[in-house]
Amino acid sequence: MSSAAEIRQLAEKPLDPNVPQTYEIRDRQTLEQSTPADERAAEATNAPKNEDYEPNPSRSLSLSPDRQNILDSILRLYSGSGTNDSKATGAKDMCVYAHKAVYDDIASYCDTRFKIAGQWWGIPVVCKASETLAVEVVSSTPLPQPGAMEPAEIVFKMKRAWTPRLLKKTFEVNHFVTLSLERAAEEDGEGPAERVKYHKDQWNEKDYDHGGLGKVMKTINGEIATIGTRPPKDL
């Protein structure tokens, strides 16, 4: 486990500029949020603040079989497939991520596939149930040519019912999820030809802190979750 000093240094360290992740996408989002929804470019990938996060499955875009498999794996992880049960699909579902993927949501920041697994393996621990109520794919862009700056992406809206074990009450949450994709590398191991390099999840039109104490707390959560949730170490 990383020491407190190491975690603090990691939290304060700038993100790798060669990886299309948080800051780059947040800059794009800032520009998109200032544009009226009906004037927004078709390739825009992050919902403006005035866009409804409520998914409409009847408007969902069709995906290629390979990308549908990626989306299905992500949805299974949201639904609690991350367990060490012999019949669980969590380990296989995790193969859609690159080895050095980034996961960023309201509560955590993780920068490796193993740390991301720590979050997914935590869902069955803290939730009695997690159910997908509706999904709308709003964008699917192809892999760019070598040297291009824009990443390939799958973007979708999702309504999910979360039932925490301690509260015994179900909360419906609208998510806006961006999955940035890249070609699989040798270090990624077995899995699809495209891998999720960056997974951003916004809840109910809320973004989150990427600086100061907020980022420190998110990074600490990402660092220590694997201790309690115990995902397979070979991920």
Side-chain angles (χ1 to χ4, degrees):
M1 175 182 173
S2 302
S3 67
E6 290 171 333
I7 292 174
R8 187 163 53 251
Q9 289 175 356
L10 178 61
E12 295 171 352
K13 181 173 141 181
L15 297 178
D16 184 349
N18 297 315
V19 177
Q21 54 183 319
T22 303
Y23 296 119
E24 176 185 337
I25 292 181
R26 277 170 59 81
D27 289 343
R28 290 168 54 198
Q29 182 184 28
T30 299
L31 293 174
E32 291 164 8
Q33 286 177 342
S34 63
T35 305
D38 58 353
E39 298 177 12
R40 200 159 48 102
E43 64 272 16
T45 58
N46 287 289
K49 290 179 179 176
N50 63 353
E51 181 168 327
D52 186 5
Y53 274 36
E54 185 81 22
N56 184 342
S58 68
R59 294 201 304 252
S60 187
L61 302 178
S62 297
L63 297 173
S64 68
D66 287 345
R67 288 201 171 182
Q68 186 63 52
N69 287 337
I70 291 174
L71 177 57
D72 290 344
S73 288
I74 295 295
L75 294 178
R76 284 193 294 269
L77 288 165
Y78 273 105
S79 296
S81 71
T83 75
N84 292 324
D85 186 287
S86 60
K87 296 181 180 180
T89 63
K92 182 178 180 181
D93 293 332
M94 284 300 303
C95 291
V96 302
Y97 286 101
H99 180 67
K100 294 181 180 177
V102 168
Y103 177 87
D104 190 11
D105 71 5
I106 194 170
S108 59
Y109 178 87
C110 309
D111 58 4
T112 69
R113 184 166 59 198
F114 178 65
K115 293 177 187 177
I116 294 171
Q119 304 300 309
W120 293 129
W121 261 247
I123 287 180
V125 176
V126 301
C127 288
K128 180 180 179 180
S130 171
E131 180 184 359
T132 304
L133 301 179
V135 173
E136 177 191 351
V137 177
V138 299
S139 177
S140 178
T141 57
L143 285 170
Q145 296 298 317
M149 294 298 295
E150 296 293 323
E153 291 177 333
I154 301 171
V155 185
F156 63 96
K157 300 176 183 180
M158 172 178 63
K159 179 181 283 291
R160 176 158 294 279
W162 297 95
T163 307
R165 292 185 182 278
L166 293 180
L167 298 181
K168 297 181 181 179
K169 178 181 178 181
T170 298
F171 299 87
E172 290 188 359
V173 176
N174 286 332
H175 300 247
F176 191 89
V177 182
T178 301
L179 305 175
S180 296
L181 307 174
E182 65 173 18
R183 292 177 178 84
E186 184 176 353
E187 69 174 358
D188 296 334
E190 294 185 9
E194 294 179 311
R195 303 299 175 94
V196 177
K197 182 67 174 181
Y198 170 63
H199 181 156
K200 177 178 180 179
D201 183 355
Q202 293 172 253
W203 287 28
N204 288 342
E205 306 185 28
K206 306 293 184 186
D207 211 340
Y208 21 73
D209 198 349
H210 292 92
L213 179 61
K215 184 168 186 289
V216 171
M217 296 304 296
K218 282 158 56 73
T219 303
I220 290 174
N221 184 26
E223 287 284 319
I224 67 175
T226 55
I227 298 173
T229 61
R230 298 183 179 180
K233 293 185 177 181
D234 58 359
L235 291 177

